[in-house]
Amino acid sequence: MAVTKPFDTILIANRGEIACRVIRSARALGFFTVTVYSEADAGAPHTLQADRAICIGPAEAKQSYLSIEAILNAARATGAQSRGLAVHPGYGFLSENEAFAQACADAGLVFIGPPASAIAAMGNKAAAKRRMIEAKVPCVPGYQGPSTDSGQSDAVLLHEAEKIGLPVMVKAAAGGGGRGMRLVRQHAELLPAIQSARSEAENAFGSPELILEKAVVDGRHVEIQVFADTHGNVIHLSERDCSVQRRHQKVIEEAPSPAVNADLRAKMGAAAVAAARAIGYVGAGTVEFLLDGNGHDFYFLEMNTRLQVEHPVTELITGLDLVALQIRVAAGDRLPLSQDDVQLSGHAIEVRLYAEAPHKGFLPQSGDLVLWRPPTGEGLRVDHGLHESGQVISPFYDPMIAKIIAHGATREEARRRLVVALERCVALGIETNRGFLVDLLRHDDFAAGRATTRFIPQHFETPAAPVADDTLLNIAALLWFERAAAACGHDPAASWSSTGRLGSPVLLQYGETKTKRLVAPSGGNRYRVQDQEIAILRRDGCRLRLQVDGQGRDIVFAFASDTLHLALGVRDFACRDITYQPPAEAEGAAERELRAPMNGKIVAVLAAEGERVSKGQRLVIMEAMKMQHEMVARVDAVVEKLPVKVGDQVATRQLLAALNPAAE
């Protein structure tokens, strides 16, 4: 039996929603909680909810949340070692880093997770697969040869791929998240895929080692939640279906899987338990399998040696608190239930609400979340770590805003509840994937439980850009009209006349598009905008109940600086009022000014003030959400202002460069 140490304080080595999630369970069990935070997260909810919060460094993750030394220094600063201190790593960052787990043990801290040896055993896909084959866990046919040059050469990998047969998956042996992964369907693509995957793997994970696997087409990604204690007990808590993915990253998760029956569940569960036993696992872990399109054969993919992002769906169908179980196991307790005690109730579906633009290739977004109102209702759960307004979605970390989960007696009930929850969710200020998620949930294949790992590539490869129709534009014009009237101290309805409407033009700009709307008050909170009759029936802060052409509509809105953000159904929209902007300025501002598309960091300045530049020439490069964005001149011009330098942190719409196209 493993030796455990008593503790009464838990330090959460993470941020955001998972830090808040751990705090809830830890406090319910009577533990003192400590969170860490970077300078970018000062004042974030997870720092306020804990009993104590300690700053561990600058915004960059490498200098804060990924710094083992910084976190251990924070642990020492708590002064809790004498009465026992445990560290919960959450997920991401250092949660699957065996060096961190070992460093905690060496420092006399209890690591709420598996031993370092178990993390190491599953940290490399090639070594993990070899061990699973020894443990007789079903594995995808493939090549997981040695990491030596002779075992990883282009020639060897090409030869092994030919033996396996196309299509084949090329995968980085270290890391995950879809990086260093390529699907190869044709022979001509094989060598370029191997070379690009190797380069990406080395840059992302510090290891160029690759494995090859037979590609299972139209399969399902089904994972088993396992739990083990220090007394040799190992059980599984059923499966989750995570087939709906984009670029190998999960978007929707559900439990149980619509493709798994009781017999298959027992077989997959037994294989997952065998995998955990084979590496001496302790705590919460997830064994991921690929279920063949035939619905019978399944193959080991990898094991995540931590709590999963999607753990809430398992909690909702089992009634268990997985974080509380983690803490109890780390304290040396036996698992409070056996395999026969695990009972499933209903169905749960989770979506990940991201700050991203699906129609722009799922480009991550950052900036001010002006207004955040998570949905509430029967069977709903929202895990997040945000203030209601004013919080910045940082460019330094993952762009997930929240996890929205619905539970129901049946899968269809859970699906319906989740669609309605997303329609009622308010996340204004930055682009999100909210509408995209609703489209996924409403699709016939998903509703029927037929979604495989090809679901998004087949049906949503290029999501359409949101459409601003007349109703949306007319409502926006009305709100700007009322705001302008109030700013002047006037009643918006004052321009109404018994001899006829006195219309006021409102010129809106959204993106590069401009549109003029005529707003004419009709008295009594009633307006005619263009050809639509709009009445304001109820005002409730940021919410309005409207009647548009006789139909009731609810909108949510917020003004932030010079921009109006509003949501009508699942459509989020942002625009500016440029009615009183000088015509020349209104026409030429986009050409003359380069502004930051999101919060980020300046990594290169490629021009100087007074320099003549050409259309298309790169002027500034900024980094946000782990991606680089090149800002280029839209016209031939002279650089008048260049108010940024390398290393500057810039906010959304901050001026990066001012150009003068007319300069000699």
Side-chain angles (χ1 to χ4, degrees):
M1 185 177 79
V3 177
T4 58
K5 299 177 181 178
F7 56 89
D8 64 7
T9 300
I10 297 175
L11 182 144
I12 299 105
N14 218 296
R15 65 181 296 277
E17 65 89 12
I18 185 56
C20 296
R21 167 73 189 88
V22 174
I23 289 169
R24 288 197 301 272
S25 290
R27 277 194 165 167
L29 293 174
F31 290 96
F32 188 87
T33 58
V34 180
T35 51
V36 295
Y37 66 95
S38 71
E39 292 171 359
D41 279 339
H46 77 274
T47 71
L48 303 177
Q49 292 177 15
D51 297 298
R52 186 177 178 188
I54 300 173
C55 184
I56 55 173
E60 287 85 353
K62 287 188 292 186
Q63 301 179 57
S64 52
Y65 296 109
L66 284 172
S67 171
I68 294 175
E69 181 182 2
I71 292 173
L72 292 182
N73 285 339
R76 297 185 189 101
T78 66
Q81 288 93 329
S82 60
R83 59 183 185 273
L85 176 66
V87 176
H88 195 302
Y91 43 69
F93 294 130
L94 295 172
S95 62
E96 291 182 283
N97 186 310
E98 70 261 30
F100 180 54
Q102 189 59 55
C104 288
D106 293 343
L109 308 174
V110 176
F111 183 73
I112 302 179
S117 58
I119 297 176
M122 289 298 184
N124 179 284
K125 290 184 177 67
K129 191 171 178 183
R130 290 192 289 268
R131 182 168 287 208
M132 292 302 100
I133 292 172
E134 292 175 4
K136 302 189 182 330
V137 175
C139 292
V140 180
Y143 172 74
Q144 47 281 336
S147 58
T148 60
D149 291 342
S150 60
Q152 288 286 307
S153 68
D154 288 349
V156 168
L157 292 173
L158 285 169
H159 175 69
E160 293 296 335
E162 294 290 346
K163 286 171 57 178
I164 296 167
L166 300 182
V168 68
M169 290 295 302
V170 180
K171 292 183 177 181
R179 287 175 289 180
M181 186 180 296
R182 303 288 188 275
L183 171 61
V184 180
R185 297 181 181 274
Q186 300 178 5
H187 290 278
E189 302 171 350
L190 188 54
L191 181 58
I194 289 171
Q195 293 173 340
S196 63
R198 181 188 290 126
S199 175
E200 187 171 291
E202 187 162 24
N203 290 332
F205 313 119
S207 170
E209 185 180 357
L210 301 175
I211 66 171
L212 304 174
E213 291 180 343
K214 179 69 177 177
V216 178
V217 180
D218 278 335
R220 288 179 183 262
H221 184 120
V222 178
E223 59 189 33
I224 302 291
Q225 175 73 61
V226 295
F227 240 102
D229 62 24
T230 57
H231 303 272
N233 301 305
V234 186
I235 63 173
H236 72 85
L237 303 178
S238 188
E239 81 282 353
R240 297 184 288 258
D241 195 313
C242 307
S243 301
V244 180
Q245 304 178 6
R246 59 165 181 79
R247 299 171 187 168
H248 308 291
Q249 294 181 326
K250 299 167 186 174
V251 179
I252 301 177
E253 304 99 353
E254 59 180 307
S257 168
V260 174
N261 58 29
D263 181 59
L264 181 58
R265 179 173 300 120
K267 292 177 181 177
M268 296 182 78
V273 167
R277 287 190 184 280
I279 60 171
Y281 200 77
V282 174
T286 300
V287 182
E288 300 193 346
F289 294 103
L290 192 60
L291 179 62
D292 197 286
N294 62 26
H296 303 294
D297 299 320
F298 59 92
Y299 308 100
F300 171 82
L301 285 176
E302 62 181 339
M303 183 175 186
N304 291 304
T305 53
R306 54 168 169 78
L307 192 71
Q308 291 281 84
V309 175
E310 57 272 21
H311 75 273
V313 294
T314 297
E315 292 186 323
L316 288 173
I317 67 166
T318 62
L320 299 171
D321 182 331
L322 300 194
V323 174
L325 280 180
Q326 282 186 296
I327 295 171
R328 286 172 169 152
V329 164
D333 293 353
R334 291 179 180 272
L335 284 173
L337 72 168
S338 67
Q339 190 64 62
D340 291 340
D341 295 325
V342 178
Q343 300 293 322
L344 307 184
S345 175
H347 200 98
I349 309 176
E350 171 182 301
V351 293
R352 303 186 188 194
L353 182 68
Y354 278 105
E356 64 182 14
H359 66 288
K360 299 176 183 175
F362 298 96
L363 182 69
Q365 305 291 296
S366 64
D368 291 334
L369 189 63
V370 177
L371 190 64
W372 166 244
R373 296 288 187 274
T376 58
E378 183 70 24
L380 291 183
R381 167 175 165 178
V382 181
D383 285 9
H384 69 93
L386 301 169
H387 296 298
E388 284 194 347
S389 60
Q391 184 153 338
V392 174
I393 302 300
S394 171
F396 297 102
Y397 315 118
D398 186 89
M400 188 173 73
I401 295 173
K403 303 180 309 193
I404 303 176
I405 314 103
H407 180 256
T410 64
R411 183 176 186 272
E412 177 59 16
E413 183 174 81
R415 188 192 68 85
R416 288 197 310 266
R417 283 177 170 171
L418 192 50
V419 168
V420 172
L422 284 165
E423 290 177 337
R424 294 174 179 169
C425 180
V426 178
L428 294 181
I430 52 179
E431 290 187 83
T432 74
N433 65 337
R434 189 169 67 98
F436 175 69
L437 293 173
V438 170
D439 289 342
L440 297 180
L441 293 168
R442 283 179 170 161
H443 193 278
D444 289 345
D445 281 355
F446 182 84
R450 296 192 298 262
T452 70
T453 53
R454 294 182 62 204
F455 175 65
I456 289 180
Q458 280 181 322
H459 302 292
F460 298 93
E461 182 65 27
T462 54
V467 177
D469 61 14
D470 281 338
T471 297
L472 201 60
L473 294 170
N474 290 343
I475 293 171
L478 169 56
L479 292 172
W480 275 116
F481 173 80
E482 288 204 330
R483 181 180 171 89
C488 296
H490 300 313
D491 181 344
S495 58
W496 177 79
S497 169
S498 60
T499 59
R501 297 183 177 92
L502 300 178
S504 298
V506 177
L507 182 60
L508 302 177
Q509 179 173 359
Y510 55 102
E512 302 298 321
T513 303
K514 301 179 181 68
T515 182
K516 183 179 289 185
R517 304 276 137 171
L518 194 66
V519 181
S522 304
N525 284 322
R526 304 185 69 85
Y527 298 85
R528 185 171 183 83
V529 186
Q530 296 297 90
D531 295 324
Q532 278 190 321
E533 296 289 345
I534 303 177
I536 301 175
L537 304 180
R538 184 174 65 250
R539 299 176 188 266
D540 182 16
C542 62
R543 292 182 181 271
L544 293 181
R545 177 67 173 180
L546 304 178
Q547 188 177 69
V548 182
D549 288 339
Q551 295 186 12
R553 308 290 295 270
D554 288 321
I555 70 159
V556 183
F557 71 97
F559 287 97
S561 185
D562 64 346
T563 304
L564 166 66
H565 302 274
L566 65 88
L568 179 65
V570 295
R571 292 178 296 167
D572 296 334
F573 179 66
C575 66
R576 295 191 301 135
D577 179 5
I578 58 172
T579 306
Y580 299 104
Q581 192 172 350
E585 183 179 345
E587 292 299 321
E591 294 183 346
R592 297 197 317 271
E593 297 178 348
L594 294 182
R595 295 184 176 273
M598 63 183 74
N599 290 17
K601 179 181 180 180
I602 303 300
V603 296
V605 177
L606 306 175
E609 291 185 359
E611 180 180 343
R612 180 171 290 281
V613 295
S614 303
K615 181 179 179 180
Q617 182 174 333
R618 297 183 304 163
L619 304 183
V620 175
I621 300 177
M622 62 177 288
E623 186 176 77
M625 299 293 188
K626 302 178 183 178
M627 300 177 65
Q628 290 194 347
H629 307 268
E630 296 182 348
M631 311 300 295
V632 302
R634 296 187 179 93
V635 293
D636 295 341
V638 171
V639 180
E640 284 194 336
K641 293 181 181 179
L642 202 60
V644 294
K645 62 182 184 299
V646 173
D648 284 355
Q649 299 295 330
V650 296
T652 303
R653 289 189 52 74
Q654 183 172 329
L655 181 68
L656 305 182
L659 308 179
N660 184 355
E664 294 295 331

